[in-house]
């Protein structure tokens, strides 16, 4: 159907984190409008933080999402420590990076194997995929074991697997013992083969062709693949400190979504997340990860958003190896944290959440209460880019039946692994005749 | 006989916390066969190697906050239903995937506690808190949770 008006409407996006919907309006073969709608409101947490003691912020912000709580803790702690003029010693910095490795592994493996792979293999779900053959069932089982290695990191360093509690402003509450660290390193060594297998699996997927001149935005560090620090850079010449973020980026309210959309000031959409990190930091990956990426056929630069699944698998392998390196070279600090005295100040920081850059800004008063909080999560930054991808993509599915067209549009959304925040996951229960 | 593993599926928000709250109470009473999960994939991992599990989850508000329904999987009433899930994989999907992977426990019981609110950061409602307390005590005393209605 290529004449007249047509609307592709997906009321509840499947296989994404959170509650979202998608509407694509087409008229006479052209895309008239695309609305990526988000029902949840993470800004609620910014208001919730006002008046709270700064020491509570890492635990409160961890509750924003069950999938990426570490990211919220990392951006929050670093922003508050910047406000307080603190600089963490090397072992505490290493533990923070190790914790982030755990979350990258958990989050990426979940998305690759359970949410995104079915798109490329033409299954409606990971269940159908696992039912289809013993080999694919084994891939899913292996991915589950790999994800558990990430959980083990978050459990030990973060204090528990869900909404970690061991992170504090100034460091940690407890440093893991040597025997605990050694056991974790063994768990991760056992997971390396699974990470390689995961990369080989997704590298064999047939990726739809796509190529677009995106502005990729990510952190860049002097000598590391970025997680907790770096300058904010783009492939179009952006190179700024965290504090300059509001000069270059601006959040916008759109009438159809509860989440603000962040765009380039005076510009438009930009792309954050694994593909942006790869394009801006591939030379910061260790040689083993670079070699594995090359063997997977991943190109650089890469402007195909469908290749994000391959980059995620490269980042999983990197995170496993990086976690092992951090554990093997860890020298326990004299103290688990650096003490501080509150001062009236402002702090800004950005870290690399699994889905891309996560901006936090806090203003604290003289007694250490939060008077202002701003949080810009990666999905709000990718929202406009997702819509622009769909504006380009939707005309190519005009001739497909509605269900298939909707599925293909969803796949475009899932390239970004949108995390629409964690509100509730109750079971909607309707019992008839009981 | 080994006691069943109690798995609380939930989030920190309002009555969606019910599953976690049961686990909190069991742990406080020294029960080590209880754990929290926050999504279907975590649930899937928790099922691995288990023979007997009780999954406690909140169900969406209807008209009786705190009401308990108990199902034994496989259960046709739940099987055809899409979970009201904010995550990529819900409770029912996780159980179906566990079946596909050969990781389903011999006995899987689902305890659904009807919620009143899942507002971000809200505490448990009074009705759900009462149910959580009763069910945890019942589990500690008898090693099982039975179907009953709390009006």
């Amino acid at each position: 159907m290529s004449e007249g008006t047509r609307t592709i409407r997906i009321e509840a996006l499947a296989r994404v984190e959170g509650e979202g919907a998608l509407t694509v309006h087409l008229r006479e073969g052209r895309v008239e409008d695309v609305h990526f709608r988000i029902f949840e409101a993470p800004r609620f947490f910014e208001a919730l933080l006002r008046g709270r003691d700064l020491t509570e912020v890492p635990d409160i912000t961890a509750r924003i999402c069950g999938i990426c709580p570490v990211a919220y803790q990392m951006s929050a702690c670093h922003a508050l420590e910047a406000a307080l003029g603190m600089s963490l010693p090397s072992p505490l910095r290493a533990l923070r990076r190790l914790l982030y490795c755990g979350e990258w592994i958990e989050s990426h493996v979940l998305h690759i194997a359970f949410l995104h792979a079915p798109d490329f293999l033409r299954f409606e779900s990971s269940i159908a995929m696992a039912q289809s053959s013993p080999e694919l069932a084994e891939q899913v089982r292996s991915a589950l074991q790999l994800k558990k290695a990430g959980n083990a990191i978050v459990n030990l360093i973060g204090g528990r697997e869900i909404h970690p509690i061991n992170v504090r402003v100034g460091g940690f509450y407890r440093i893991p013992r040597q025997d605990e660290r050694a056991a974790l390193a063994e768990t991760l060594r056992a997971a390396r083969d699974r990470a390689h297998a995961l990369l080989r699996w997704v590298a064999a997927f047939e990726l739809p062709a796509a190529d677009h001149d995106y502005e990729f935005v990510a952190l860049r560090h002097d000598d590391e693949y970025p997680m907790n620090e770096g300058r904010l850079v783009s492939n179009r010449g952006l190179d700024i400190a965290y504090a300059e973020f509001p000069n270059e980026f601006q959040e916008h309210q759109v009438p159809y979504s509860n989440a603000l959309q962040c765009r380039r000031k005076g510009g438009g959409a930009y792309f954050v997340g694994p593909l942006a990190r790869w394009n801006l930091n591939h030379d910061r990956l260790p040689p083993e990860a670079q070699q594995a990426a090359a063997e997977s056929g991943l190109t650089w630069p890469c402007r195909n958003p469908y290749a994000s699944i391959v980059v995620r698998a490269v980042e999983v392998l990197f995170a496993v190896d990086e976690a092992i390196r951090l554990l093997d070279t860890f020298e326990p600090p004299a103290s688990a944290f650096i003490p501080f005295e509150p001062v009236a100040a402002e702090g800004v920081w950005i870290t690399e959440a699994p889905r891309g850059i996560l901006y936090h800004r806090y203003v604290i008063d003289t007694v250490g209460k939060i008077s202002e909080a701003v949080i810009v999560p990666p999905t709000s930054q990718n929202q406009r880019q997702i819509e622009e991808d769909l504006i380009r993509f939707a005309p190519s599915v005009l001739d497909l039946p509605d269900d298939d067209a909707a599925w293909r549009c969803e796949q475009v959304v899932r390239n970004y692994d949108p995390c629409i925040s964690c509100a509730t996951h109750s079971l909607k229960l309707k019992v008839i005749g009981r | 006989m080994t006691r069943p593993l109690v798995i609380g599926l939930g989030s920190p928000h309002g009555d969606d916390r019910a599953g976690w709250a049961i686990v909190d109470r069991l742990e406080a009473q020294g029960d080590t066969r209880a754990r929290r999960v926050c999504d279907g994939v975590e649930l899937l991992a928790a099922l691995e190697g288990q023979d007997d599990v009780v999954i406690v989850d909140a169900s969406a508000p209807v008209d009786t906050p705190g009401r308990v329904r108990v199902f034994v999987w496989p259960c046709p009433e739940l099987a055809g239903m899409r979970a009201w899930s904010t995550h990529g994989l819900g409770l029912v999907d996780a159980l179906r995937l566990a079946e596909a992977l050969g990781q389903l426990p011999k006995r899987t019981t689902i305890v659904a506690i009807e919620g009143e609110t899942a507002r971000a950061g809200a505490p448990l409602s009074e009705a759900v808190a009462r149910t959580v307390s009763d069910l945890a005590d019942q589990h500690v005393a008898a090693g099982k949770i039975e179907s009953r209605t709390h009006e």
Side-chain angles (χ1 to χ4, degrees), chain A residues 19-30:
Chain A
E19 304 238 329
L22 186 66
T23 312
V24 181
H25 298 286
L26 301 149
R27 181 185 289 275
E28 315 229 330
R30 285 189 315 105

Side-chain angles (χ1 to χ4, degrees), chain A residues 6-132:
Chain A
R6 182 179 173 195
T7 301
I8 299 170
R9 188 175 283 119
I10 304 163
E11 291 299 347
L13 285 164
R15 288 188 271 130
V16 298
E17 307 297 347
E19 304 238 329
L22 186 66
T23 312
V24 181
H25 298 286
L26 301 149
R27 181 185 289 275
E28 315 229 330
R30 285 189 315 105
V31 178
E32 207 163 54
D33 217 347
V34 170
H35 289 164
F36 174 40
R37 292 180 284 137
I38 285 179
F39 307 141
E40 301 172 25
R43 294 302 160 294
F44 181 83
F45 282 86
E46 294 169 330
L48 195 77
L49 287 164
R50 276 186 231 128
R52 304 303 285 260
D53 194 280
L54 72 90
T55 58
E56 297 179 279
V57 175
D59 291 330
I60 294 173
T61 54
R63 300 299 180 93
I64 291 175
C65 181
I67 305 293
C68 44
V70 170
Y72 285 94
Q73 291 191 320
M74 293 297 99
S75 284
C77 281
H78 286 95
L80 292 164
E81 287 155 5
L84 297 165
M86 301 166 74
S87 177
L88 261 55
S90 174
L92 296 179
R93 185 180 172 279
L95 278 189
R96 292 261 174 98
R97 189 166 170 83
L98 176 57
L99 183 57
Y100 232 145
C101 287
E103 180 159 286
W104 278 27
I105 296 167
E106 287 179 326
S107 177
H108 280 356
V109 173
L110 168 70
H111 189 256
I112 292 169
F114 296 91
L115 308 181
H116 207 193
D119 281 336
F120 296 92
L121 301 175
R122 311 292 288 171
F123 291 107
E124 62 155 4
S125 68
S126 56
I127 301 158
M129 189 173 77
Q131 286 169 335
S132 70

Side-chain angles (χ1 to χ4, degrees), chain A residues 49-366:
Chain A
L49 287 164
R50 276 186 231 128
R52 304 303 285 260
D53 194 280
L54 72 90
T55 58
E56 297 179 279
V57 175
D59 291 330
I60 294 173
T61 54
R63 300 299 180 93
I64 291 175
C65 181
I67 305 293
C68 44
V70 170
Y72 285 94
Q73 291 191 320
M74 293 297 99
S75 284
C77 281
H78 286 95
L80 292 164
E81 287 155 5
L84 297 165
M86 301 166 74
S87 177
L88 261 55
S90 174
L92 296 179
R93 185 180 172 279
L95 278 189
R96 292 261 174 98
R97 189 166 170 83
L98 176 57
L99 183 57
Y100 232 145
C101 287
E103 180 159 286
W104 278 27
I105 296 167
E106 287 179 326
S107 177
H108 280 356
V109 173
L110 168 70
H111 189 256
I112 292 169
F114 296 91
L115 308 181
H116 207 193
D119 281 336
F120 296 92
L121 301 175
R122 311 292 288 171
F123 291 107
E124 62 155 4
S125 68
S126 56
I127 301 158
M129 189 173 77
Q131 286 169 335
S132 70
S133 76
E135 291 76 22
L136 285 172
E138 184 50 37
Q139 287 288 0
V140 175
R141 266 188 227 105
S142 178
L144 197 59
Q145 295 304 318
L146 181 55
K147 185 177 180 298
K148 282 168 90 171
N151 295 1
I153 298 176
V154 176
N155 194 27
L156 180 63
I157 313 300
R160 65 183 183 194
E161 287 178 16
I162 306 166
H163 301 120
I165 47 166
N166 190 34
V167 175
R168 60 179 291 175
V169 177
F172 290 86
Y173 288 99
R174 172 182 175 271
I175 302 296
R177 296 189 312 269
Q178 200 280 331
D179 61 318
E180 294 172 321
R181 299 195 305 269
L184 179 59
E186 282 313 303
T187 300
L188 289 161
R189 283 192 177 90
R192 287 193 80 238
D193 285 350
R194 295 188 190 282
H196 276 286
L198 184 73
L199 176 56
R200 284 195 301 274
W201 182 45
V202 301
F205 291 172
E206 191 177 332
L207 306 181
D211 182 66
H212 181 69
D213 183 19
Y214 295 101
E215 180 167 19
F216 292 106
V217 177
L219 292 184
R220 182 164 169 88
H221 186 269
D222 286 344
D223 47 31
E224 293 175 337
Y225 200 72
M227 283 186 172
N228 274 317
E229 54 202 88
R231 285 180 67 81
L232 191 63
V233 303
S234 88
N235 55 325
R236 293 189 187 160
L238 181 79
D239 185 355
I240 60 170
Y242 312 126
E244 295 172 70
F245 183 88
N247 302 334
E248 300 287 341
F249 300 88
Q250 189 165 28
E251 290 186 293
H252 296 265
Q253 180 82 55
V254 290
Y256 49 82
S257 178
N258 285 350
L260 297 173
Q261 283 193 359
C262 196
R263 301 178 195 177
R264 294 285 270 125
K265 263 190 178 170
Y270 60 103
F271 194 130
V272 305
L275 193 61
R277 286 194 290 264
W278 163 256
N279 280 320
L280 296 164
N281 292 283
H282 83 291
D283 57 339
R284 295 291 188 260
L285 283 169
E288 299 79 14
Q290 285 198 39
Q291 188 185 337
E295 287 169 4
S296 77
L298 186 63
T299 58
W300 182 90
C302 176
R303 309 195 310 178
N304 181 350
Y306 294 98
S308 294
I309 191 168
V310 183
V311 179
R312 278 189 195 93
V314 170
E315 288 193 337
V316 169
L317 179 62
F318 159 70
V320 170
D321 281 344
E322 181 69 352
I324 294 169
R325 184 189 71 77
L326 289 164
L327 284 162
D328 286 350
T329 57
F330 186 73
E331 296 284 343
S335 169
F337 65 94
I338 307 294
F340 60 86
E341 291 295 328
V343 290
E346 177 185 334
V348 181
W349 207 271
I350 295 172
T351 69
E352 284 284 356
R355 291 159 185 81
I357 54 168
L358 171 58
Y359 171 89
H360 282 217
R361 173 179 166 269
Y362 298 99
V363 178
I364 50 181
D365 66 16
T366 51

Side-chain angles (χ1 to χ4, degrees), chain A residues 18 148 424-427 434, chain B residues 10 38 42 48 60 77 84 86:
Chain A
K148 282 168 90 171
T424 176
H425 44 134
S426 312
L427 192 67
R434 279 174 71 117
Chain B
C38 68
E42 299 288 344
E48 190 189 347
E77 285 164 301
W84 181 41
T86 61

